[in-house]
Amino acid sequence: MNRRRPRRWPLVAAGAVLTALWGGLVAAPPEGVAHLELRAYDALLRSLPPTPATGEVVIVEIDDRSLAALGRWPWPRRTVADLLDRLGGLGPRAVGIDVLFAEGEAPPGEAESEGDRALAAALARGPFVVAYQLLFDGTPGAGGAPPHPLAVAAVEAGAGSGRPGPLAADGVLGPRAPLARAAGASGFLNAAPDGDGILRRVPLILAYGGRWYPSLALATVLRAYGHPGVAARSGPGGLTSLRLGDAELPVDPWGSLPLRFRSPGDGFQRLSAEAVLAGRVDPGAVRGRLVLVGATATGLRESVATPVAPWMAGVEVHAHAVDSLLGGYAPRYPGSRLGTVLLVLGCGAGAVAIAVLARPGPAAACLAAVGVAGVLGARWLLGSAGVFVSPLLPVAALAANGAALALVQLYVGERRLGRQAHDLAVAQRLMLQSLASLAEARDTETGEHLLRTSRYVRSLCLSLAQEPRFRRVLDGDVIELAASLAPLHDIGKVGVPDCVLRKPDRLTPEELAQVQGHVGHGLAAIEKAEARAGVGGAVASDQLLRLAKEIVATHHERWDGEGYPKRLRGEEIPVLGRVMALVDVYDALTSRRVYKDPVAHGEAVREIAAASGTQFDPAVVQAFLRVEADWARGGEASQA
C-alpha cells in the first residue's frame, strides 16, 4: 500500500525566498553587516597560530628609558644626528624614521641651526628614509610636493581612469627640504582605520599631483634592496597587487595592504634609543637588517587599535608592514563579494535540502556540523592561503534558513496533525453512531431514545458544571465526550432477546434479570473491543474508553445504593453515571414504550424532584431543575 508522502513544496518555496533574501543582503550589505564581517575577520585572525617574523626587522624605540636619560622629546637635532650616526655605523640595510622633521630647530626667520646641519649630514651618511604626512583635508601643507615619487615600472591592464586606484592627497606636511634631499628617500606615514575604528590595512601607495608615492614601509624596503620601483597589477575593480622584486603582494583596489598583525611580544627585536647612543648594542643585532625608529614612550606614541591589540604604536605598525613586504604574506581582505554571494546561496540551498530530506533532529545536527565546518574552513583558508572569505553570512544564512524551515515544518506538521485529528473525530463519531444504530436496528424507540439522551446529557452537564465542585470534572472536552458517548449507555440491549425487549406486559423476575443484564453485555462489548484493538495496558486509561465504561456500567446505579449491577452508593457513583441515570429516567418517562404511554413533562419533573436524595444525586436534580424548561421545548440549555 502506498503511503501518502508529506508535501515538501512549502519548505522548498520558503527556503528559496529566504535564500534569495540572504543573497541580496550579501551582495549589498548594510554598514552594520559589513562591520560584523570585519569582526569575523578579526576573530579568525586571532585564532590562527602566530606567523614567525622574518627576523629582518628591528625597532629602535624612543621609549620611557630614553626620555629619562636624554630628556623630554623633541631632543636637540645634534642628539638625533648622533643616534642616526650610531645606527648607521652598525651596518643596517635601511633605516625608516617614524618622525616628522617639519620645523627647523632655529626660530623662524633665523639661519639654519648647527643641529639641523648636523642632522642633514647624518642623513646623507647612511641608508635613511625620512617621513612626511599626506593631507586629505583640503590643506595644501607647507612642504611642497614630496621629494621622492615612486617609480612605477609597469601598470598592467585595467588601471584606466575612472577606476579605483591610489587615493589622491591635497597637501603635504614635512620634512624640511634640506633633510629630505640629504636622506635620498622618503615615505608617508598615513594609515587610517576602517569604519569601526580598527586598523587592518595600511596604504602602500598614495597619489599627489598626478604622481604615486610610497609609504614609509615600502620606501624603506626599496632603499634596502635597491629596487627601482614597483609593478602594479589591476583588474576590472581597480588595483589587485603590487609586485616588489619576486614578491607579489595583494592590495585592495586603492593600493592598501592588509596586515597579519601579531600580538604584543610579536617577535621583532627591540632596542632602546638610549642603548644605541650609549654604544651598548651588539652590531650583529642590526647589521644587514631593516630598522624602524619611532616613539613608544608613554604619552608620546601615536597608537591605533588593531585586530590583536587595543593599541599599537605607529612604529610597530610600520614594522608589521615592512615584515609583510619582506615575507610576502598578507591576507587577501576582504575577499570576493561574488564568492561570498555564491557561498551564501549554496548554504541556503543546502539548508533546504537538509530540511527536506532529514528529520528535524538529524537536520539540526547536520546544519550545526556544516556551520562549524564552514568556520573551520574559513580559518584554514585564511591561515594557509591568506584568503579571507567571511563565514559570518553563510553560517547565518544556514542557521536562519534552518530555523525558519523548522518553523515551516512545524506549521505544516501541525496542519497535518490537525487534519488527522479531524479525521479521527469523524471516525469516532461514525463508530459511535454505528454502535447506536445496532440498538436502533433492534428497537426503533430505543434508537430514538439514544439520540435524545445525547442532547439531554450535554444540557445537564453544562448546568452541573456551574457548581464549583463539578467544574474541574466537567470541563468542555469531557462534556462533549459525554454527549457523544451517551448513545452507548444501552448498547448492551442488543444481547437481550426480542421477546423480552418488546414485551408489552409486566416482565417476570427472570425476564427482568435478562433486561438488567444489558449493563454487563454493554461493558463486556467495550472491554472485548478494547482488548482486540490492543489498547490495553498503558493506554487503558484513555479518557474516551474510561468515560464510555463509566456511563455504560453505572447509569442504573442509585444514590441510595439500591441500584444495579454493583449497588454503588452516593459519591461512589461516577458523576457521568449519576447524570446518565437522571437523563435515562426522564426520557423513559416522557417517551412512549410498548408497555406504557408517555407522561407529561411537568409530571416527569415532579417525579424526578421527588426522587432527589434517593434515586438521584441532589446536585444533579438541582442542575436538572435549572434547565428542565428547555427540555420541555425539546431544545438544549444554553449554558455558557
Side-chain angles (χ1 to χ4, degrees):
M1 181 175 63
N2 292 330
R3 293 185 177 181
R4 184 179 178 183
R5 295 178 61 85
R7 292 183 298 175
R8 301 298 188 185
W9 68 262
L11 290 177
V12 175
V17 171
L18 290 171
T19 301
L21 291 176
W22 277 104
L25 181 66
V26 177
E31 185 177 354
V33 172
H35 284 176
L36 288 175
E37 284 192 318
L38 293 176
R39 295 307 173 94
Y41 169 81
D42 296 345
L44 289 179
L45 195 66
R46 288 192 297 269
S47 72
L48 295 176
T51 301
T54 60
E56 297 296 314
V57 181
V58 177
I59 298 176
V60 173
E61 303 177 284
I62 303 173
D63 54 6
D64 292 322
R65 187 172 63 176
S66 300
L67 296 184
L70 301 170
R72 67 179 184 178
W73 185 265
W75 292 337
R77 295 290 167 86
R78 170 65 71 178
T79 303
V80 177
D82 290 344
L83 174 63
L84 298 183
D85 277 333
R86 290 281 188 175
L87 275 175
L90 296 175
R93 281 185 176 271
V95 179
I97 306 171
D98 182 17
V99 177
L100 280 177
F101 298 112
E103 303 89 10
E105 191 174 43
E110 296 187 10
E112 190 175 31
S113 71
E114 184 178 341
D116 284 330
R117 291 192 293 272
L119 178 57
L123 289 170
R125 288 192 289 268
F128 297 109
V129 181
V130 294
Y132 54 89
Q133 189 81 11
L134 289 172
L135 307 176
F136 292 87
D137 57 359
T139 304
H148 306 107
L150 179 66
V152 181
V155 177
E156 301 186 9
S161 61
R163 293 176 178 172
L167 297 177
D170 304 313
V172 183
L173 179 62
R176 287 175 58 82
L179 301 181
R181 288 193 299 268
S186 59
F188 58 80
L189 298 176
N190 301 70
D194 289 319
D196 60 352
I198 306 296
L199 182 72
R200 298 178 179 87
R201 47 189 166 182
V202 294
L204 293 182
I205 50 176
L206 290 174
Y208 181 77
R211 305 189 71 174
W212 291 8
Y213 293 86
S215 68
L216 179 67
L218 179 57
T220 301
V221 172
L222 293 174
R223 178 83 187 250
Y225 292 96
H227 293 307
V230 297
R233 182 188 298 274
S234 65
L239 294 173
T240 59
S241 65
L242 294 178
R243 179 172 294 279
L244 180 62
D246 294 331
E248 187 163 351
L249 298 163
V251 295
D252 67 14
W254 297 271
S256 292
L257 175 73
L259 297 182
R260 185 165 172 179
F261 286 100
R262 301 181 186 84
S263 301
D266 42 31
F268 296 132
Q269 185 171 6
R270 296 169 180 267
L271 303 174
S272 172
E274 181 272 333
V276 174
L277 278 167
R280 296 196 306 272
V281 173
D282 179 6
V286 176
R287 185 177 297 115
R289 290 177 169 80
L290 285 76
V291 178
L292 276 302
V293 179
T296 61
T298 305
L300 186 59
R301 64 186 173 221
E302 289 189 15
S303 60
V304 293
T306 68
V308 299
W311 62 265
M312 183 175 288
V315 68
E316 295 171 320
V317 173
H318 297 306
H320 277 89
V322 170
D323 207 51
S324 294
L325 291 170
L326 295 179
Y329 51 81
R332 296 182 180 272
Y333 160 82
S336 169
R337 210 72 223 161
L338 177 60
T340 306
V341 170
L342 294 177
L343 188 58
V344 165
L345 295 179
C347 285
V352 175
I354 292 171
V356 168
L357 299 177
R359 295 179 178 178
C366 187
L367 288 172
V370 173
V372 171
V375 173
L376 294 178
R379 180 181 182 273
W380 173 84
L381 195 62
L382 182 62
S384 62
V387 176
F388 173 64
V389 176
S390 173
L392 178 68
L393 290 179
V395 171
L398 196 70
N401 276 19
L405 293 176
L407 292 177
V408 173
Q409 280 183 312
L410 181 62
Y411 172 75
V412 172
E414 289 290 336
R415 290 284 302 273
R416 185 165 59 249
L417 289 176
R419 289 193 299 270
Q420 291 175 349
H422 176 266
D423 294 344
L424 183 60
V426 171
Q428 184 186 96
R429 289 195 298 271
L430 178 62
M431 177 194 70
L432 296 176
Q433 293 301 321
S434 298
L435 291 173
S437 296
L438 290 174
E440 188 175 10
R442 297 291 309 284
D443 184 350
T444 303
E445 290 181 355
T446 299
E448 294 173 350
H449 162 67
L450 297 178
L451 297 177
R452 288 192 299 271
T453 56
S454 177
R455 298 194 298 270
Y456 294 152
V457 165
R458 179 183 288 106
S459 172
L460 187 53
C461 284
L462 286 170
S463 178
L464 189 61
Q466 293 180 10
E467 299 188 25
R469 64 192 179 103
F470 292 103
R471 194 167 295 151
R472 292 183 60 187
V473 178
L474 296 175
D475 61 25
D477 291 339
V478 169
I479 291 174
E480 289 305 314
L481 275 177
S484 299
L485 294 169
L488 296 183
H489 74 281
D490 274 342
I491 190 65
K493 287 185 177 180
V494 298
V496 180
D498 285 347
C499 60
V500 175
L501 192 62
R502 298 181 179 180
K503 184 178 180 179
D505 302 324
R506 182 179 295 276
L507 298 177
T508 66
E510 293 80 8
E511 291 171 336
L512 181 61
Q514 285 183 302
V515 172
Q516 291 179 346
H518 81 276
V519 173
H521 295 325
L523 185 61
I526 293 175
E527 290 176 341
K528 185 177 292 185
E530 181 182 2
R532 288 180 176 177
V535 293
V539 193
S541 61
D542 177 81
Q543 191 176 42
L544 184 145
L545 293 173
R546 178 177 61 81
L547 297 180
K549 288 187 283 188
E550 284 182 3
I551 289 173
V552 170
T554 65
H555 73 280
H556 282 294
E557 300 289 354
R558 289 171 55 103
W559 186 253
D560 60 7
E562 296 300 318
Y564 67 88
K566 293 186 176 182
R567 301 179 70 83
L568 300 177
R569 178 187 298 272
E571 298 288 344
E572 294 177 348
I573 307 170
V575 173
L576 291 184
R578 294 176 238 165
V579 169
M580 194 71 239
L582 188 149
V583 168
D584 194 34
V585 169
Y586 173 82
D587 193 73
L589 288 172
T590 57
S591 302
R592 183 178 300 278
R593 294 289 187 265
V594 294
Y595 54 84
K596 75 169 197 67
D597 291 328
V599 302
H601 168 76
E603 184 178 346
V605 171
R606 287 191 293 274
E607 288 192 29
I608 290 174
S612 176
T614 55
Q615 186 174 358
F616 305 119
D617 179 355
V620 176
V621 173
Q622 291 300 314
F624 165 70
L625 294 177
R626 288 194 293 268
V627 296
E628 53 85 10
D630 292 320
W631 292 19
R633 293 191 296 268
E636 297 184 42
S638 55
Q639 304 294 330

